[in-house]
Amino acid sequence: MARRVLHGIPVAAGVAIGRAYVLDRDWFARAAYHAIPPEAVPQEQARLRQAFASAAAELGRLLAAVPEDLREHAAMVQAHLLLVQDRKLQDQALAAVAEGINAEWALERTLAGVEATFAAVEDDYLRARMQDVRQAAERVLRILVGQAQVASMPQRGVLVAQDLSPADLVEIDFAKVLALATASGGKTSHVGILARSLQIPAVVGIEALDSALAGELVILDGFHGRLLVDPDEDELARATELAARFDEYQAVVLRSCHLPAETRDGFRVQALANIEFFEEVVAVRDLGAEGIGLYRTEYAFMNRATPPDEDELAEQYLDLASLMAPHKVVIRTLDVGADKLVPSLRQGRESNPALGLRAIRYCLRHRDLFRTQLRAILRASVVGNVQLLLPMISGIEELVEAKKFYHRVQQELAAQGIPFREDMPLGIMMEVPSAVMTADVLAQEVDFFSVGTNDLIQYTLGIDRTNKDVSPLYQPLHPAIVRSIKWIVDSGHQAGIEVCVCGELAADPFCVPLLLGMQVDSISLNPRSIPSIKRLVRQMTLEECDALLKQIMSSQSVASNNRLVREMIYRRFPEELLFSVSLLGEEGGTV
Ligand code: PEP
Ligand code: MG
């Protein structure tokens, strides 16, 4: 293939050179219909039976390989195994083959029939089960068309996919993934968040990414958002050198990661970690985090057939609290909805999911689930320093309602003689514009604020954070965003409560000086960015950050804000910039 450069959005730092491995989902198209003559029917049926058996064997192997500490993934694999072993699906497909239809099409037709039955069912939960049936059948279909498994990436390479969902994690062997390239995704979609926490260079939203790339030598440049196909000698040499310099830089940064994030003139900000999986806790400590500022608990509900129960959650939260003690662990209640789908929960289809029954709204609608989680968090509060965080609060009524329910759950525990910390700090995510506008009111009701800039930008600017077409409009330094954060911090401090910033903006070297200027109490970021951000803080002064903030607060456009910040950072920290990935993007972006 001829040399070419594909452009996308850089979301995780690093450079990788390797062969492209395309996660092919187009194989569906190859499952086309063809007629089977009567004499070939037994052979075709044998092929179908064999595919079911191979799928079961594959799932059996996967199940055995799920590590003990990821056992929540096992339940989903188990559910798929039961489905492919279930005779009903197979028998119906075999009967279709007997009518003279090829195995692939027979299976598709059977599936369509099951889907039609499910569609007529009123119950959202049962309808969601259809997803499991489809995924299990797709495995059989994939074997029929001769498509290899994702997990069997033959060697280390650059994984190229149209899309990658959190659920895909179960099958991908990340030890073999040198870098990630996807066609979909925006600046703060979850694939980027994941890539950063796994320290895998990544570019998302790549135009013209297709399966013709399979097997090609590529350079993925996670700093500049480029995928170079069939690079020349010079490009290979430059990429190798850049990768080596990045490794050196990281080693240097890592050595000082346990020093505090304190400016040269003595202003100290706490550097906390955002985590998605319990297993990240070890890395978090090694990377110099002073606590966990955001535990995205919804990930523990994904990839399993049934939600975890109270005992399982309490055990996990307790482990986390004791491993991190005396540091704090901020546990956010379920933030399901929008792009975070949890198959084991009842999530109906919504035409506008980011504005739908998401996060606290979902929990207030499904009180049993909310109660289970609150009880588990309360039970864990007797150890270390656990704090409770409610996502997506949009106004005082919603907050009061959530608190009322929380107090009822506290009373239930007390009546049962189960110990908990009565004054466990309770905070809210500030990520919806209506909450921002009423920050002074909300501050009276909580112990801390945590600013979720990923959603705050999405909702304030009206930009879907996962949509690459509007990605240039996703501007963290839009005056509306800077003013919003400043207002939240000031309102919090006025009321005597602490303010943390936990969106991706807190990991962006261009944005951190402004957060320091505002004197936020803590920042919470993906663990891998902690060492370099702490180092940056140690090289700055509060005085210069304050001066920059003053300039920004009186400026009126994204372009001038980006310019002011860039000038300061380029002048003062050229090295940090070479190796960082920023949300800023092009000057003053428009689509
Ligand atoms: C945010 O919205 O900034 C945030 C931290 O939460 P999430 O990315 O999980 O929505
Ligand atoms: Mg959010």
Side-chain angles (χ1 to χ4, degrees), residues 247-260:
D247 283 350
E248 268 169 46
Y249 168 78
Q250 281 192 304
V252 170
V253 167
L254 206 55
R255 275 200 289 278
S256 60
C257 76
H258 290 287
L259 297 176

Side-chain angles (χ1 to χ4, degrees), residues 294 296 332 335 340 358 431 452-455 465 502-503:
L294 171 64
R296 292 182 163 103
R332 181 175 73 181
D335 183 15
K340 286 186 265 193
R358 186 185 161 182
E431 50 187 349
T453 58
N454 304 337
D455 280 311
R465 63 192 264 195
C502 70

Side-chain angles (χ1 to χ4, degrees), residues 132-374:
D132 287 335
V133 180
R134 172 153 281 284
Q135 284 173 356
E138 277 179 8
R139 181 177 295 276
V140 180
L141 206 52
R142 200 197 59 215
I143 291 168
L144 281 171
V145 298
Q147 173 66 35
Q149 212 179 332
V150 185
S152 63
M153 239 172 113
Q155 63 217 22
R156 300 188 80 201
V158 174
L159 184 63
V160 174
Q162 285 302 310
D163 193 11
L164 220 45
S165 72
D168 286 326
L169 269 178
V170 188
E171 288 198 47
I172 293 171
D173 177 4
F174 275 100
K176 287 199 176 137
V177 180
L178 295 172
L180 276 177
T182 64
S184 65
K187 286 179 186 171
T188 57
S189 53
H190 289 91
V191 67
I193 293 176
L194 187 80
R196 275 193 293 281
S197 64
L198 294 168
Q199 225 177 355
I200 295 173
V203 179
V204 302
I206 302 179
E207 299 287 349
L209 198 63
D210 57 44
S211 51
L213 279 179
E216 290 291 329
L217 183 66
V218 295
I219 297 175
L220 182 133
D221 179 346
F223 300 116
H224 305 98
R226 282 188 310 222
L227 187 71
L228 274 74
V229 184
D230 195 17
D232 60 29
E233 291 290 316
D234 277 357
E235 286 163 337
L236 283 168
R238 273 202 302 275
T240 309
E241 197 207 320
L242 188 58
R245 283 178 64 195
F246 184 49
D247 283 350
E248 268 169 46
Y249 168 78
Q250 281 192 304
V252 170
V253 167
L254 206 55
R255 275 200 289 278
S256 60
C257 76
H258 290 287
L259 297 176
E262 183 171 322
T263 62
R264 281 163 41 213
D265 48 358
F267 174 71
R268 182 158 178 183
V269 66
Q270 256 194 328
L272 309 168
N274 292 347
I275 62 166
E276 281 84 51
F277 300 101
F278 169 73
E279 293 73 25
E280 288 176 87
V281 64
V282 180
V284 159
R285 294 208 72 147
D286 290 348
L287 291 164
E290 298 164 287
I292 290 175
L294 171 64
Y295 177 27
R296 292 182 163 103
T297 56
E298 53 279 1
Y299 281 78
F301 285 66
M302 286 176 194
N303 295 331
R304 50 185 296 158
T306 51
D309 64 15
E310 182 186 320
D311 285 345
E312 187 181 338
L313 289 176
E315 195 184 315
Q316 193 195 80
Y317 300 157
L318 271 166
D319 284 350
L320 197 57
S322 55
L323 283 168
M324 289 306 294
H327 297 307
K328 70 170 121 176
V329 174
V330 179
I331 304 181
R332 181 175 73 181
T333 58
L334 273 181
D335 183 15
V336 290
D339 60 331
K340 286 186 265 193
L341 292 175
V342 178
S344 65
L345 300 180
R346 296 155 186 249
Q347 287 172 277
R349 248 181 238 144
E350 297 177 300
S351 55
N352 227 336
L355 305 179
L357 200 61
R358 186 185 161 182
I360 191 70
R361 303 169 182 180
Y362 184 91
C363 287
L364 287 174
R365 177 69 65 85
H366 298 277
R367 301 277 172 126
D368 284 349
L369 181 76
F370 197 26
R371 173 184 286 107
T372 302
Q373 208 187 12
L374 289 174

